[in-house]
Amino acid sequence: MAPPEALSGDGAFTVRRHQPELVSPAKPTPRELKPLSDIDDQDGLRFQIPFMHFYSHKASMKGKDPAQVIKKALSEALVFYYPFAGRLREGDGRKLMVDCNGEGVMFTEADADISLHQFGDTLQPPFPYFDELLYNVPGSQGVLNCPLLIIQVTRLQCGGFILAYRLNHTMSDGPGIVQFLNAVVEIAGGAREPSVAPVWRRELLSARDPPQITCTHREYEQIPSNYDPIWTQESIAHHSFFFGPKELEAIRQMFSSYNNGQYTTRFEALTAFLWRCRTKALQLEPSQEVRFMCISNVRGKSNPPVLPLGYYGNGFVYPAAVTTAGKLCENPFGYALELVKKAKAEATVEYMQSVADFMVTKGRPCFVMPGTWIVSDTSRLGFRGVDFGWGKAVYGGPATAGAGPFPGASYYAACENAKGEEGIVVPFYLPLSAMKRFIHELDRVLGQLEQLTSFSDSLASLS
């Protein structure tokens, strides 16, 4: 192995990074071409999505090196998940397939002279020193002919460590990557094989022959690509907002008079609340069309299930609710709630099959970006529960707002604040002026509910 290379992190600390290396399966694996599903290889998933897990020092693990523990278990887990060690190729009709060549995933180990507490009382995106904690290995950024996983383990001065990684999103969704990480965890703990056997079966979500588009897919409507009223030349702010149990219940109760006797989940209430506040902060023209897309997984939504236990491909769709900025902002909050519920309800197995047929028929297009806010709730997927022996992660989940090159997205992640309260953290990318108005709008509405969290202190960090 090459000697460590010193890197500075804004002068605040130093990272000593070893030469990146490829970690291959510990045993020979099949050499084959495995097509992705027609849900996997749509244009909107052709990017690498970053995640981070922060772990505290644990006295009982003294003398054990997390980088070596994870690297060894990773190599053994890749025997079962060998497609991750391959490379994507593109065939006719933009069809993606994995060349299972065993080349390996990219792995970097590093040491940083910084302690976990120096990252702040509440760990949430955006994370400081992100570029030092997940090294962008030259030539690794692409979708085709590049590693499908890029991993860095950084040991901290306090005895804790950070696991950061980028996943080629065409390979897996949130449940899929958590399943893979738990396989690494089990093998690190001494298991010979994962307790949940991985299932490829991507043909289950491939287009029918002939394709039959049976649903309306407004998430893929074609609108002028040069028209986007949200993302301007103004500087962009990246900020996260923590909602604890008190805030989440108060927001849900705020919608109780709008639910028409139906139960409203905390996700539905929080999402409707934030979508309306976000749209008001953007100050769009009243006639401007806006979209909300709800990432909805179809796992467990049919009997028998369409996706078997162990399936680790992408198993979600994102139906769109469409309205105008004027209608969304001028109507009561119940209007936004109705649209959120409607979008969620559209995510059926038939809808997913129709999306697969749509992809093949229309050339695998990207979703609509102008005027769009996409939400993915990862808070219940178990990212924080990934335990390599050092305990539950202090934070585990997506590392940023935005979906790769698409800034109009938010990932809900499970989080614990400085008071020890368990809640949800929601990151946003917004133009700076809109972010300031967004904070004011959150405080205005929450202030009318009860004495809840104020986000006004966030304004100082944006100036």
Side-chain angles (χ1 to χ4, degrees), residues 116-138:
L116 190 59
H117 75 271
Q118 292 173 265
F119 286 89
D121 293 333
T122 301
L123 282 168
Q124 59 188 34
F127 297 109
Y129 321 121
F130 174 77
D131 291 340
E132 284 75 39
L133 298 170
L134 182 55
Y135 176 53
N136 192 9
V137 180

Side-chain angles (χ1 to χ4, degrees), residues 90-377:
E90 189 175 61
D92 294 340
R94 303 184 68 216
K95 184 64 193 172
L96 293 182
M97 58 202 77
V98 184
D99 179 3
C100 300
N101 57 13
E103 195 169 340
V105 302
M106 187 67 70
F107 187 89
T108 303
E109 64 176 286
D111 295 276
D113 55 359
I114 188 172
S115 295
L116 190 59
H117 75 271
Q118 292 173 265
F119 286 89
D121 293 333
T122 301
L123 282 168
Q124 59 188 34
F127 297 109
Y129 321 121
F130 174 77
D131 291 340
E132 284 75 39
L133 298 170
L134 182 55
Y135 176 53
N136 192 9
V137 180
S140 68
Q141 306 96 319
V143 172
L144 302 177
N145 308 314
C146 289
L148 300 175
L149 269 173
I150 294 92
I151 301 170
Q152 180 171 324
V153 177
T154 303
R155 295 172 288 255
L156 303 176
Q157 203 170 38
C158 59
F161 69 95
I162 298 170
L163 167 67
Y165 53 98
R166 290 200 324 256
L167 165 71
N168 188 313
H169 206 335
T170 63
M171 288 293 292
S172 290
D173 56 11
I177 192 61
V178 170
Q179 177 183 310
F180 172 69
L181 290 173
N182 282 328
V184 177
V185 162
E186 290 176 336
I187 290 172
R192 291 189 175 184
E193 59 186 33
S195 59
V196 177
V199 175
W200 183 260
R201 298 295 308 278
R202 304 298 168 105
E203 75 279 2
L204 293 172
L205 296 181
S206 291
R208 292 170 284 209
D209 186 14
Q212 305 169 46
I213 302 173
T214 55
C215 302
T216 301
H217 299 289
R218 299 204 66 183
E219 65 272 32
Y220 300 109
E221 284 182 334
Q222 298 301 301
I223 61 178
S225 59
N226 61 346
Y227 177 67
D228 194 337
I230 296 178
W231 309 109
T232 66
Q233 297 302 313
E234 184 184 355
S235 60
I236 302 299
H238 182 191
H239 194 74
S240 288
F241 301 88
F242 177 83
F243 297 88
K246 186 169 57 175
E247 287 77 24
L248 291 170
E249 182 57 26
I251 292 169
R252 194 172 71 84
Q253 288 299 323
M254 181 178 70
F255 286 92
S256 60
S257 60
Y258 302 117
N259 59 16
N260 297 320
Q262 297 179 331
Y263 179 74
T264 295
T265 68
R266 69 176 190 176
F267 169 82
E268 292 166 345
L270 180 62
T271 301
F273 168 69
L274 291 175
W275 185 26
R276 190 172 184 269
C277 290
R278 178 184 185 272
T279 305
K280 290 191 75 170
L282 288 167
Q283 294 186 340
L284 304 173
E285 291 293 327
S287 61
Q288 168 61 42
E289 196 170 76
V290 293
R291 278 173 172 77
F292 160 72
M293 296 183 192
C294 176
I295 291 183
S296 299
N297 214 289
V298 300
R299 287 174 169 85
K301 284 197 173 182
S302 62
N303 189 17
V306 66
L307 299 178
L309 178 67
Y311 186 87
Y312 62 101
N314 290 285
F316 66 87
V317 288
Y318 30 85
V322 184
T323 185
T324 64
K327 289 181 180 178
L328 185 63
C329 297
E330 293 163 11
N331 276 299
F333 273 105
Y335 178 75
L337 178 64
E338 183 181 340
L339 290 173
V340 168
K341 285 178 174 286
K342 181 176 180 294
K344 277 185 62 181
E346 288 183 359
T348 63
V349 172
E350 177 57 34
Y351 192 94
M352 174 167 278
Q353 186 63 68
S354 182
V355 170
D357 295 345
F358 188 95
M359 289 297 121
V360 170
T361 304
K362 304 295 184 180
R364 311 184 194 283
C366 188
F367 51 79
V368 177
M369 287 185 280
T372 295
W373 184 47
I374 304 174
V375 171
S376 176
D377 184 6

